[in-house]
Amino acid sequence: MARRPLPRILSSATAQAVRTREIARTAADSAADVLHPLITVSRGLRELAGIARRKWAETPKDKRGPTLLMAAGGVMAVALIRFGPVLALISLMAAAAWKGRVRPVVKTGPDESEIARLQALYEALVPYFSAPEDPDPRYAHGGEWAGVFDDYAFDGNGRLTELRIAYPAYFADGEEESRERIEQLLHAKSGRGREYRFRWDEEGNQLLMNVLPALSTAIAAQRFVTAPGETVLGFTDADSVQRTVPVTDGGETRDAPPVIWRTGPRSTEPHLLAVGQPGGGATTLLRSIALQALQHGDVLIVEGGGTGEYACLTGRTGVLSVECGLAGALSSLEWAAHETERRLIAANRARQAGRPAPADTRRPLWILVDRPSVFGHLAAADGRTDPQQLLQVPLRHGREAAVTVVVTEQFDCVDALTETVRSHTRARVVLGPAGFEQIESVLGTAPHTTPTPGVPPGRGYARLGAGPVLRLQVPATPDPYDDATGEAHRQAVLELLPDHQPTGVPGGGQSSGHDPLRGGDQVPAQDPAPAQVAPVPAES
């Protein structure tokens, strides 16, 4: 049956009632705004009166008489003073207004939604932190979370940002699998898409979980305050390192915690391997290292990708060569191997003669190889030597000869790296999105944080030798010749580039298949005969 429309009288009456309520609500809001000072003073007077009553009730009976006498004397003194009553009234109104002001509510505990989240997290941990033979379990279904969650903090969206958990002593916190299960559970229950750090206190049976803030991506390439032999790989969390350097971030100067990689004769990690996904920032890291290395040494670049990412360095002072072809790469790396041997021989002869090593053997030489697996495939197809085989001498004896090797590769081609490259590159960097297994395969251990699926370029992890795994954000060092590069970052890189070397001058950066330093004093006149070769230092 079809509905009948309401009578016009009833419809008009409903609309009139709605308008009346709106007018009344508006009038009430306006009256509250106008009478707000009066309401505040009235509330304050009521509180002052309550305080006076409590004070009077607390006063002993034998002291009430003198108290009244003193109060009466004060009132008479105020009344006799000129403008005394007016000043007393103003003071009373000011005290009432201060006492009756609306104070912000101070949060002293979690609200209902936060309590529900903590209780759900407690229930999820019960199967992992409880045992049937425990006579007094701290974790039990239907138990209270307040006894095991000591410190906690939430963000504006009601998600956990910090939590301290007390777990029973019989939990196997020394086993990596047991710890990983708890970390994965906390990560899933606390909210994905954020990076969490877990700190296990085995002695105190406590686990601290906190959300790490995102590392700044606004730090561009610049001159960092470092000593010779120190290279800034990027920046990390303030509590992970004990040193800061001044940097320019968004037009302002501040102190940032760097990840310092030390090279040279006394370095325990003289060579570096960086692995990442396409677009993860490995090329940016190599450009940043090259710009820092040119301050005190010479650079030889071998690019396997062939995309011209290092064209800005071609022909610059200190850049020996930028090779993009197989023939040039083989020639340059063969020269680098001979140069390493020459430095070792010259330094050894100087030590035997009781003289300091020649200056040309102490000047740092950097060999930067980007994606050597590409050249490996080309060399195998052409029946030529794999360029990685030519890196054996610089990798094994580069520390004594002031030769540093940096190799970058992508995850899908890591298996193509030779055993020599893997064993002698003890400084490791992982860039771009990667899982726990990928990070552990490169760094040797899993990080104590949860990698996020989406990260900006240059974000990853670094580990120097047997040290801890550090979060890393590489300084923005894009290709200045790329049209997609911002003007600010373009100028920052161009300002760091050395001047162009005149054509024909040794070290001018000719990109061809001949010796990079043809005619320079660093190339020996002839290769030494095997009988003349001095003893080579032991492997590092």
Side-chain angles (χ1 to χ4, degrees):
M1 184 175 63
R3 293 184 178 180
R4 293 183 179 180
L6 292 173
R8 185 175 300 175
I9 298 176
L10 296 179
S11 300
S12 59
T14 303
Q16 184 66 25
V18 172
R19 286 196 298 270
T20 302
R21 284 197 297 269
E22 292 179 355
I23 293 173
R25 188 179 299 109
T26 303
D29 295 339
S30 301
D33 294 337
V34 173
L35 300 177
H36 179 70
L38 183 59
I39 296 173
T40 302
V41 172
S42 302
R43 188 188 304 116
L45 290 174
R46 187 166 57 252
E47 293 189 9
L48 291 176
I51 294 174
R53 285 195 300 269
R54 288 195 300 272
K55 291 293 184 181
W56 179 257
E58 295 173 359
T59 303
K61 293 184 178 181
D62 57 341
K63 295 183 180 180
R64 291 183 180 182
T67 302
L68 286 176
L69 183 60
M70 291 178 61
V75 171
M76 291 182 62
V78 170
L80 295 176
I81 297 175
R82 188 178 181 183
F83 303 114
V86 177
L87 295 176
L89 181 61
I90 293 175
S91 301
L92 179 61
M93 293 298 104
W98 176 259
K99 201 66 178 178
R101 72 189 188 283
V102 178
R103 302 177 183 85
V105 179
V106 179
K107 186 177 180 181
T108 58
D111 55 23
E112 294 182 359
S113 61
E114 295 171 352
I115 291 176
R117 185 179 290 271
L118 291 173
Q119 186 65 31
L121 187 59
Y122 172 85
E123 294 289 342
L125 292 172
V126 168
Y128 302 95
F129 287 156
S130 62
E133 58 273 12
D134 189 352
D136 186 17
R138 302 182 66 181
Y139 288 85
H141 292 292
E144 292 293 336
W145 58 267
V148 294
F149 296 162
D150 297 333
D151 299 330
Y152 48 84
F154 295 85
D155 59 9
N157 298 324
R159 297 197 300 176
L160 279 168
T161 59
E162 183 177 348
L163 180 64
R164 184 181 299 274
I165 302 173
Y167 56 88
Y170 53 77
F171 175 73
D173 52 4
E175 299 178 1
E176 193 66 26
E177 296 181 356
S178 301
R179 295 164 65 150
E180 287 182 359
R181 286 196 298 267
I182 300 300
E183 292 176 2
Q184 292 175 1
L185 174 64
L186 295 174
H187 180 204
K189 293 295 183 181
S190 301
R192 299 185 182 274
R194 300 184 298 174
E195 195 165 0
Y196 296 85
R197 178 169 57 190
F198 300 95
R199 294 180 176 178
W200 292 82
D201 181 12
E202 291 87 350
E203 296 182 358
N205 298 321
Q206 290 187 345
L207 168 62
L208 176 62
M209 178 196 73
N210 57 345
V211 178
L212 296 175
L215 297 176
S216 175
T217 59
I219 302 177
Q222 54 192 279
R223 292 296 182 205
F224 301 113
V225 182
T226 56
E230 293 183 344
T231 303
V232 176
L233 300 179
F235 297 90
T236 184
D237 301 296
D239 56 351
S240 298
V241 294
Q242 300 178 354
R243 178 178 173 180
T244 60
V245 296
V247 297
T248 302
D249 186 355
E252 298 180 355
T253 302
R254 65 178 181 88
D255 291 337
V259 178
I260 298 292
W261 174 40
R262 293 174 176 84
T263 57
R266 293 178 176 83
S267 173
T268 57
E269 302 87 22
H271 309 296
L272 182 139
L273 172 63
V275 183
Q277 300 286 1
T283 304
T284 298
L285 174 63
L286 212 59
R287 269 194 299 265
S288 176
I289 293 176
L291 292 177
Q292 298 180 63
L294 287 173
Q295 299 181 65
H296 308 286
D298 299 322
V299 174
L300 172 63
I301 301 176
V302 176
E303 181 188 1
T307 57
E309 294 285 348
Y310 309 96
C312 61
L313 296 169
T314 303
R316 302 283 180 172
T317 302
V319 180
L320 306 181
S321 182
V322 179
E323 300 295 345
C324 300
L326 177 59
L330 292 174
S331 177
S332 298
L333 294 179
E334 185 178 1
W335 171 86
H338 289 308
E339 173 65 11
T340 304
E341 295 175 349
R342 184 197 70 82
R343 291 185 175 207
L344 289 174
I345 296 171
N348 195 17
R349 288 175 178 174
R351 285 194 295 267
Q352 291 179 358
R355 299 191 307 270
D360 60 345
T361 64
R362 297 195 304 268
R363 181 171 175 81
L365 172 61
W366 292 73
I367 304 174
L368 310 182
V369 185
D370 188 6
R371 299 194 64 190
S373 61
V374 177
F375 286 134
H377 296 310
L378 295 177
D382 200 19
R384 307 182 70 174
T385 304
D386 189 347
Q388 295 187 60
Q389 301 298 328
L390 301 175
L391 291 174
Q392 291 186 8
V393 174
L395 285 171
R396 290 177 176 176
H397 310 293
R399 182 173 63 178
E400 295 82 0
V403 177
T404 302
V405 180
V406 180
V407 180
T408 63
E409 192 53 84
Q410 295 182 1
F411 273 111
D412 54 357
C413 299
V414 172
D415 296 337
L417 296 175
T418 62
E419 183 62 28
T420 303
V421 174
R422 291 171 176 268
S423 59
H424 288 84
T425 51
R426 299 185 66 250
R428 299 292 181 87
V429 174
V430 175
L431 296 175
F436 279 102
E437 295 181 356
Q438 291 179 314
I439 297 175
E440 187 175 3
S441 65
V442 176
L443 302 183
T445 183
H448 294 292
T449 62
T450 55
T452 55
V455 294
R459 178 71 57 80
Y461 298 91
R463 189 187 186 201
L464 304 179
V469 179
L470 305 175
R471 290 204 307 165
L472 179 72
Q473 177 61 55
V474 178
T477 315
D479 182 7
Y481 296 162
D482 189 357
D483 296 337
T485 302
E487 187 60 27
H489 288 169
R490 186 196 316 277
Q491 292 299 325
V493 176
L494 291 176
E495 290 176 359
L496 297 179
L497 289 174
D499 297 333
H500 281 280
Q501 185 76 16
T503 304
V505 177
Q510 296 90 346
S511 180
S512 61
H514 52 71
D515 287 346
L517 291 181
R518 183 177 58 184
D521 57 354
Q522 293 185 353
V523 179
Q526 58 183 1
D527 292 337
Q532 300 173 346
V533 177
V536 178
E539 290 186 24
S540 57

